[in-house]
Every structure is written in C-alpha cells, then in structure tokens.
Amino acid sequence: IAGITQAPTSQILAAGRRMTLRCTQDMRHNAMYWYRQDLGLGLRLIHYSNTAGTTGKGEVPDGYSVSRANTDDFPLTLASAVPSQTSVYFCASSESQGGEKLFFGSGTQLSVL
Amino acid sequence: DQQVKQNSPSLSVQEGRISILNCDYTNSMFDYFLWYKKYPAEGPTFLISISSIKDKNEDGRFTVFLNKSAKHLSLHIVPSQPGDSAVYFCAASSPNNAGNMLTFGGGTRLMVKP
C-alpha cells in the first residue's frame, strides 16, 4: 500500500527557475492538500482541493499554484522560485472535505539558492 | 499571529516516565483537535484526536486532555518509550476554516532517553 507518493524527495533549485512537485495518492481520497514545514512555524497550508476539478487557497498561497485534473494527482508548481520558498513540502489527503485526519506523504526537501 | 502555539520546542524525558506535551490556542471557534507524530524524513502521522464536546480521550499509552476555558490541550504519554522520540504537532480545525483546513502548532521535539 503506497498511500501518498511525492517526488522528488529533494531538490536544489536556482532562484527564478520553475519547479513542479508531484503528488499522487492511491486511496481514492477526495480532498488533497499541500503544506510547507518551517522550523518553529509548524505546517502551513499552501493550497487545497476538496474534490477533482476544484482548488482553494490556504494560508500561504503566494508564489504557488496547483491543479487537480483527477482524483489521484495534485501537483504543486513554483512558477519562479525564490529563496524564501526553501522548505520541506508535504502533500496530504483526507477522505472528504472536513476529514481532519490527514494522511501525509514523506515530503520534498526543496532548497532555492 | 499563530493561532495554535506549542511553547516548548523540545522536551527530554526518561524512559518509563510520563511525557506531557502542551498546546495553546487562541481561536474559540476551533472545535476539533488532533495530535500528529513525525519521525525524521517521514511525513506526519495521525496519533489521537479530541472533539470540543469532550475533555479527555484515551488510546493506549496516549491521552489527550482539553481545557476549553483555558484554550489549552495536552498530550500525555505513559509510560514513555524510546520509540516515542519524534516531533509532535498539535492541530486544530473549525467549521469556518476554508476547506476545514487544519491549523498546526510549531511542534515539540520529544526525546525519550533509555
């Protein structure tokens, strides 16, 4: 059982470059989320999707975009990376909107230089 | 301003003793609270939760206590084991949050010494 798969596991990126973090789930969960983890700040929600075809902004959406073309995939794109986007990124899913029990992927460590 | 705060960034406990991790919140609309555990290089995993209609929830060695008047919750681990060494995040949700998103605290690193 894979659950949530994120790729890549880590990446070093030059500022100004475009980057897409991939996330795939095999649990057929309706809701998916992208969080970033920063020391002392915990996990902050970037974008979410309650169901395929819909997305919404979280707490820190600026500089990021998402799409939800189908149930399983929820990629996160940084159009022009900046050093402040250096972070660990976690994709998560839940059975439904308001399903507070989240299942997380293993994360992507991104460094923007 | 953080709505969910974990004021202790780290905690060290001897194996077999009790670990108490604390969490404070400011938003009175929060009605559901969760604790997640995170090992290095892994994603957080759900540990235990509590609804605002309760003041205690127990699951094996883990108990969560909620004090609504003080806007405070705590996670008790008894007895603590070396395998409990991890970062613990508390989280809260309210029906008013867009997408019912969770608001996380900054985390507490628990170290259980053998």
Side-chain angles (χ1 to χ4, degrees):
Chain A
I1 299 175
I4 293 190
T5 302
Q6 290 185 236
T9 54
S10 66
Q11 181 75 45
I12 299 173
L13 190 66
R17 298 297 294 267
R18 180 184 178 89
M19 176 73 192
T20 296
L21 308 185
R22 300 185 298 279
C23 175
T24 300
Q25 54 119 347
D26 62 2
M27 297 175 284
R28 307 302 293 174
H29 284 172
N30 284 315
M32 296 187 76
Y33 312 82
W34 274 104
Y35 284 86
R36 58 178 288 174
Q37 182 196 358
D38 302 289
L39 189 65
L41 298 177
L43 295 145
R44 292 180 294 168
L45 183 67
I46 304 171
H47 285 287
Y48 66 93
S49 169
N50 289 328
T51 188
T54 69
T55 63
K57 293 182 179 181
E59 183 183 356
V60 288
D62 294 343
Y64 306 95
S65 63
V66 291
S67 61
R68 187 87 183 277
N70 56 61
T71 297
D72 298 341
D73 301 299
F74 191 42
L76 176 74
T77 297
L78 290 68
S80 179
V82 294
S84 63
Q85 293 177 309
T86 294
S87 187
V88 182
Y89 291 85
F90 289 101
C91 180
S93 71
S94 62
E95 289 185 6
S96 61
Q97 174 188 356
E100 291 91 349
K101 182 178 177 180
L102 302 182
F103 295 82
F104 284 87
S106 297
T108 295
Q109 171 72 61
L110 180 67
S111 298
V112 183
L113 305 178
Chain B
D1 189 32
Q2 286 187 289
Q3 297 186 63
V4 178
K5 289 186 179 180
Q6 294 176 254
N7 291 316
S8 297
S10 65
L11 175 68
S12 182
V13 172
Q14 203 68 35
E15 180 179 7
R17 304 296 291 270
I18 184 171
S19 296
I20 300 176
L21 294 92
N22 294 303
C23 180
D24 297 294
Y25 62 96
T26 57
N27 188 343
S28 58
M29 297 301 294
F30 287 145
D31 64 353
Y32 195 71
F33 304 87
L34 306 90
W35 285 92
Y36 282 80
K37 178 179 181 179
K38 184 186 179 304
Y39 291 119
E42 295 183 10
T45 56
F46 169 78
L47 185 59
I48 193 169
S49 63
I50 188 167
S51 166
S52 61
I53 62 174
K54 294 185 175 182
D55 55 15
K56 177 183 175 181
N57 188 27
E58 190 172 354
D59 183 1
R61 296 185 297 114
F62 303 90
T63 303
V64 57
F65 295 93
L66 176 63
N67 183 333
K68 289 187 292 293
S69 61
K71 294 190 176 66
H72 176 83
L73 67 154
S74 60
L75 174 68
H76 293 210
I77 306 173
V78 182
S80 302
Q81 300 173 354
D84 296 329
S85 297
V87 177
Y88 290 79
F89 292 99
C90 68
S93 74
S94 90
N96 294 328
N97 285 357
N100 262 32
M101 64 178 173
L102 293 180
T103 302
F104 284 84
T108 296
R109 181 178 301 278
L110 174 65
M111 293 163 284
V112 180
K113 298 180 178 179

